[in-house]
Amino acid sequence: MTDGASDPATTPVAIIGPTAAGKSDLALDLVETFGGEIVNIDAMQQYRGMDIGTAKLPVAQRRGIPHHQLDVLEVTDIATVARYQAAAVADVEDIRSRGLRPIIVGGSMMYVQSLLDEWAFPATDPVVRAKWEAVLESNGVEEIHRALTAADPEAAASILPTDGRRMVRALEVVELTGQPFAASAPKIGAPRWGTVVLGVDRDTAELDERIAERTRQMFETGLLDEVEGLLGLGLRQGVTASRAIGYAQALDVLAGEYDVEFARERTFIGTRRYVRRQRSWFRRDDRVRWLDGASPTLTSDALSAIDPA
């Protein structure tokens, strides 16, 4: 799993951790220090047009640094871990082949594991998949969540309860293999390419404040307008995109189901809940070298973690 790890100058660095901790700025600083390019590992930032609600770094703020796996999907496309894995592996290996250092940044948990641990995905069965998709379509995510809780409580606890598609996949795997969904996950070992894995986090109260401020800015700087513009591109029909935190709430506002203030509160709560899951997931990985995102010496701390000598 350490293929190609012999050249330290091109050894990837992954910057992971909870939403709003400060990963993006650190990634840019490291690219400027080492020379390299950025590979996104945030699932929702793959979607074109989903910019404000995903806190996607505007082009003008990317310091002229190439970013990969941003804006590669339409809102009607289904985001899959398998598609991401194949595309991101190709990006990382291309960057390395040009003598540059890939900086991988984001917080989508299963995407991180698929990229760094060479996740081999279980087979699918269209009949079994269709059965659970029919339940999702007719009875909603609550029924799918109940079914998964009964079949595999650990998977139900680890998957966002609004992510119906992923819960369907978990139920499919459990039914086909007779084992918990987690049994199909890779065992954590030496990361692919010898990647150095850095985690960025902050004090919980401070992170909650940053999430609240980010959420406020999203709604005040045009999230509803962004979502309204995406309706014509099929956002409501998007199996994955329409359920993204912030976008699902904005869609409900536009449908007249509740007001902006309630949507903002639900987005904050949903993001905070997601952050707790990110922490729980990433803190189990003892390869992660944790950094304080609030530290004024964050970049130099990261450089010391990458090269302790």
Side-chain angles (χ1 to χ4, degrees), residues 160-171:
L160 198 67
T162 55
D163 193 344
R165 197 187 140 273
R166 188 160 290 163
M167 288 190 284
V168 164
R169 175 59 173 152
L171 284 163

Side-chain angles (χ1 to χ4, degrees), residues 127-162:
V127 175
V128 174
R129 173 74 64 95
K131 177 184 73 173
W132 291 113
E133 285 178 342
V135 173
L136 175 62
E137 180 67 24
S138 60
N139 299 328
V141 292
E142 294 83 2
E143 181 60 30
I144 282 291
H145 188 259
R146 279 193 288 271
L148 185 58
T149 299
D152 187 347
E154 184 179 349
S158 68
I159 297 173
L160 198 67
T162 55

